[in-house]
Amino acid sequence: MPSPFQRIGLVGKFGDPGIAPTLNQLYRYLLRRGFQVAVESQSAELIENADVTGVYIERLPEHCDLMMALGGDGTFLAAARAVADFDVPLLGVNLGRLGFLADISPEQLSGSLEQILAGNYKTEQRHLLNAAIIRDGTLIHQQTAVNEVVVHRWVTPSMIEIVTSIDGVYLNTQRSDGLIVATPTGSTAYSLSAGGPILHPALHALVLVPLNPHTLSNRPIVIDDNVTIEVRFSRAKQINALVTCDHLEIPDVRINDKIVIKKAEKPITILHPADHDFFHILRSKLNWSGYPA
């Protein structure tokens, strides 16, 4: 049976020569199988004894019908943002430490990839967030996030005071170090370390998690993902704030700015091995106990 994929794009962890053995092994494996292979420009420099023309990651989805990310979840997030506007599925090979998203290990690569390239895999749709900075009614910056959008206090010892509304309805005013708005994908990332709940990837939900709130009754809240979230700042005093989207910084956010966050129009598609089990991933990555005796 022919593979559902003919053109494969490879992107490795940026600036990490340690991915070279797995990258070279995978590149040659795909060529032997007759696939067309495009490689992200920095990763292309690690391919040995081959004349490889690298492609910038933003253009890589134009050259493939399956994209593979080799590294940790950070590499996977960069690849996910690149495919966000394309109908190109994404597969992750975990060469990092934790790896909730990139779930194939190098030891599993040959067997799992054989099955996936033959069409035997599971698919997941993961929704992204779009964050817009509005200043005096004008859009000044826009960014996509796979995991989370975070409003932080920045270069100041003082808490910031932020006002949150959902679909134009006032939610609360909080003094804190910031606010995380996370997708189910991001619920196992920064949100989890800040005390937020784990959301199953199939949920159509978002979680709002305060960062070190002044009032301890200010707790995480799970809401429907089909809403518009607006965050603005109390004008009681000048603020220094920073907005990040998956750790990509939007600096110099001003006191009169509004941060508008909502679900991006198109989801991304993630491929997993056919035996993929989200709860097994949680047990493994979070070191939960196994089955009862």
Side-chain angles (χ1 to χ4, degrees):
M1 180 183 297
S3 172
F5 312 109
Q6 300 303 319
R7 304 177 303 154
I8 313 294
L10 301 180
V11 54
K13 184 178 180 180
F14 302 123
D16 183 5
I19 69 167
T22 303
L23 178 64
N24 278 272
Q25 174 192 353
L26 180 56
Y27 177 77
R28 286 174 170 77
Y29 169 84
L30 293 170
L31 288 184
R32 287 197 304 270
R33 292 286 305 272
F35 292 97
Q36 300 175 44
V37 185
V39 186
E40 184 273 329
S41 54
Q42 292 187 38
S43 301
E45 298 174 4
L46 301 176
I47 301 293
E48 301 170 355
N49 304 318
D51 184 16
V52 182
T53 301
V55 180
Y56 288 117
I57 188 171
E58 296 83 4
R59 303 295 302 273
L60 194 57
E62 301 173 17
H63 299 268
C64 61
D65 43 37
L66 171 64
M67 195 156 159
M68 298 181 61
L70 289 77
D73 282 354
T75 310
F76 192 95
L77 292 175
R81 286 190 294 269
V83 301
D85 293 327
F86 299 85
D87 294 319
V88 175
L90 185 57
L91 176 68
V93 178
N94 181 26
L95 303 180
R97 291 187 295 267
L98 201 54
F100 279 99
L101 297 173
D103 57 359
I104 299 177
S105 69
E107 296 76 23
Q108 301 169 318
L109 184 56
S110 178
S112 295
L113 195 55
E114 189 80 22
Q115 292 295 313
I116 289 170
L117 293 176
N120 185 23
Y121 53 78
K122 286 183 178 178
T123 63
E124 273 189 342
Q125 299 287 309
R126 299 286 184 101
H127 287 279
L128 284 62
L129 292 175
N130 180 271
I133 309 298
I134 309 296
R135 180 173 299 162
D136 297 327
T138 302
L139 174 67
I140 65 164
H141 197 97
Q142 194 164 238
Q143 182 66 54
T144 299
V146 182
N147 273 348
E148 72 273 313
V149 178
V150 187
V151 182
H152 312 255
R153 66 180 176 90
W154 187 45
V155 295
T156 175
S158 302
M159 290 182 169
I160 55 176
E161 189 165 302
I162 55 179
V163 181
T164 305
S165 299
I166 299 173
D167 279 345
V169 178
Y170 171 71
L171 173 65
N172 65 3
T173 300
Q174 61 171 276
R175 292 185 66 229
S176 65
D177 286 342
L179 176 69
I180 302 171
V181 180
T183 64
T185 304
S187 70
T188 53
Y190 191 11
S191 171
L192 182 63
S193 68
I198 295 172
L199 304 183
H200 191 278
L203 288 175
H204 294 282
L206 300 172
V207 60
L208 277 61
V209 182
L211 287 170
N212 301 320
H214 181 262
T215 303
L216 295 182
S217 60
N218 195 335
R219 308 302 301 163
I221 179 172
V222 178
I223 61 174
D224 184 81
D225 71 352
N226 211 8
V227 299
T228 298
I229 301 164
E230 182 180 300
V231 178
R232 56 185 176 84
F233 302 97
S234 168
R235 302 191 184 192
K237 62 177 181 178
Q238 186 59 41
I239 55 96
N240 289 294
L242 175 75
V243 175
T244 59
C245 298
D246 296 342
H247 304 296
L248 297 177
E249 295 184 357
I250 306 174
D252 189 32
V253 179
R254 302 178 185 176
I255 193 168
N256 292 323
D257 291 348
K258 291 191 298 185
I259 301 104
V260 178
I261 304 163
K262 56 185 177 181
K263 182 171 68 177
E265 290 186 7
K266 294 179 64 174
I268 60 169
T269 300
I270 299 177
L271 302 190
H272 297 290
D275 61 354
H276 172 77
D277 177 355
F278 176 69
F279 300 115
H280 171 76
I281 297 292
L282 292 182
R283 290 194 302 272
S284 173
K285 303 301 182 182
L286 299 178
N287 199 27
W288 288 352
S289 60
Y291 293 104

